[in-house]
Amino acid sequence: MKTKKKLTLVALLTLGFIANAQIEKGNVLIGGNLANISLGLNDPNVISIDISPKVAWFIKDNIALGGYLNFGIETAKHSNTTTNYGIGALGRYYAGAEGELVKHSRFFAEATVGLGGVNVSDADNTNGLNLSVGPGFSYFITPNIGLEALLKYNGLVGFGSTPYQNNLNLSFGFQIYLPGRKSMNKVKNDFD
């Protein structure tokens, strides 16, 4: 019975600790963004989706470095199919104090650099260096889950029939903030 009470207390304190330390050095961010989700109901029956899973480690309070993947497809009846892809590094900086605009929220900036491409069947394509930067807003619905909106400028420079492509993209997603080993040890040491 003592072990069960101790585990319950550890879990409650861990959640309380995480609530105040999502973006602290040593923690991990895992999640992704969804953009361009569309399902056309009339002609030309367009279907479009873009997914970007991410993982990053907080190397310092408010600063995370990691990587991302990107895959998207857009197709329509009697039209070309567009596919895009990307892989690379990402960096995030969380600004301000918690709750300046809305309680349990933070503004952040995200930048990425990597390899990517946009390929349209029987039309223009570009494959090469993919760069993006933009502001975001995260609202924490639980102590370790944040819903977010991210507005980013994306640029692609490379080879193909079109040497440069760019766009402005609004995406929505979620991130899970997990405590790192150091954070878990702090909680554990409180019980020893």
Side-chain angles (χ1 to χ4, degrees), residues 2-146:
K2 284 183 180 181
T3 304
K4 188 175 181 180
K5 285 182 181 179
K6 188 175 181 180
L7 288 175
T8 303
L9 187 57
V10 168
L12 289 173
L13 284 175
T14 301
L15 284 176
F17 178 76
I18 293 170
N20 296 318
Q22 297 99 329
I23 56 178
E24 184 178 86
K25 180 180 178 179
N27 292 351
V28 179
L29 168 126
I30 298 173
N33 292 81
L34 300 170
N36 304 326
I37 301 169
S38 165
L39 177 61
L41 300 177
N42 298 325
D43 259 337
N45 296 328
V46 175
I47 298 172
S48 173
I49 189 164
D50 192 357
I51 23 183
S52 297
K54 302 172 183 181
V55 63
W57 291 264
F58 286 89
I59 60 165
K60 192 174 179 182
D61 289 0
N62 300 329
I63 298 174
L65 296 177
Y68 73 95
L69 293 172
N70 180 32
F71 179 75
I73 188 164
E74 180 178 310
T75 187
K77 190 174 181 179
H78 307 298
S79 184
N80 293 333
T81 298
T82 302
T83 57
N84 63 67
Y85 68 91
I87 184 169
L90 76 84
R92 273 195 179 188
Y93 173 73
Y94 288 80
E98 184 217 359
E100 285 185 352
L101 179 66
V102 176
K103 192 172 182 177
H104 307 297
S105 65
R106 291 302 277 272
F107 282 103
F108 64 89
E110 181 177 287
T112 64
V113 62
L115 299 174
V118 176
N119 299 296
V120 182
S121 61
D122 299 326
D124 295 339
N125 63 69
T126 305
N127 298 286
L129 180 64
N130 194 2
L131 304 165
S132 72
V133 64
F137 179 76
S138 186
Y139 176 74
F140 294 96
I141 58 171
T142 71
N144 61 341
I145 297 176

